């Protein structure tokens, strides 16, 4: 499987945090599906100095780029306008 690391930053408008919190349960449900299917490696929220969520980092794995892009484009944080920018890079998990 190909592995990827995604670094995503949220929109910064006045309603950005509310949108994130409203969509979060749906995003987490999809992450649970990723885990059950063997596509989830690790992930979590990026916090600002006040401890508020302002983005996410996720490490995922898929058979090919198309599967990764399909998942990414359908994630609730994308469809719900939570993530404004997403940087995707190839990744290789260290086996320790």
């Amino acid at each position: 499987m190909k592995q990827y690391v995604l670094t995503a930053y949220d929109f910064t408008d006045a309603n950005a945090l509310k949108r994130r919190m409203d969509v979060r349960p749906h995003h987490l449900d999809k992450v649970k599906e990723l885990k059950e299917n063997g596509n989830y490696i690790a992930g979590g929220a990026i916090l600002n100095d006040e401890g508020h969520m302002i983005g996410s980092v996720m490490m995922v794995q898929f058979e090919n780029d198309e599967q990764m892009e399909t998942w990414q484009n359908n994630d609730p944080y994308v469809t719900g306008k939570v993530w404004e920018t997403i940087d995707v890079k190839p990744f290789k998990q260290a086996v320790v």
Side-chain angles (χ1 to χ4, degrees):
M1 286 223 218
K2 294 179 76 173
Q3 297 180 331
Y4 310 85
V5 61
L6 287 80
T7 306
Y9 285 94
D10 296 356
F11 284 90
T12 57
D13 59 273
N15 293 319
L17 184 58
K18 180 181 181 334
R19 270 196 317 278
R20 174 181 264 272
M21 298 313 291
D22 289 347
V23 173
R24 190 168 189 254
H26 306 292
H27 168 74
L28 293 176
D29 286 343
K30 292 295 186 182
V31 172
K32 288 175 188 172
E33 286 179 25
L34 287 177
K35 186 174 182 180
E36 289 169 4
N37 294 331
N39 300 108
Y40 177 81
I41 299 170
I46 299 170
L47 306 178
N48 65 11
D49 291 339
E50 292 80 39
H52 298 288
M53 292 181 274
I54 60 165
S56 307
V57 172
M58 288 188 70
M59 288 161 262
V60 294
Q61 57 187 7
F62 292 93
E63 290 296 327
N64 55 54
D65 295 345
E66 292 78 20
Q67 288 180 0
M68 191 283 302
E69 290 168 7
T70 297
W71 159 75
Q72 177 188 325
N73 292 334
N74 291 291
D75 186 277
Y77 277 177
V78 172
T79 60
K81 305 290 186 209
V82 174
W83 288 339
E84 181 176 26
T85 63
I86 305 170
D87 181 55
V88 179
K89 297 282 192 249
F91 174 76
K92 183 169 174 83
Q93 184 180 20
V95 179
V96 294

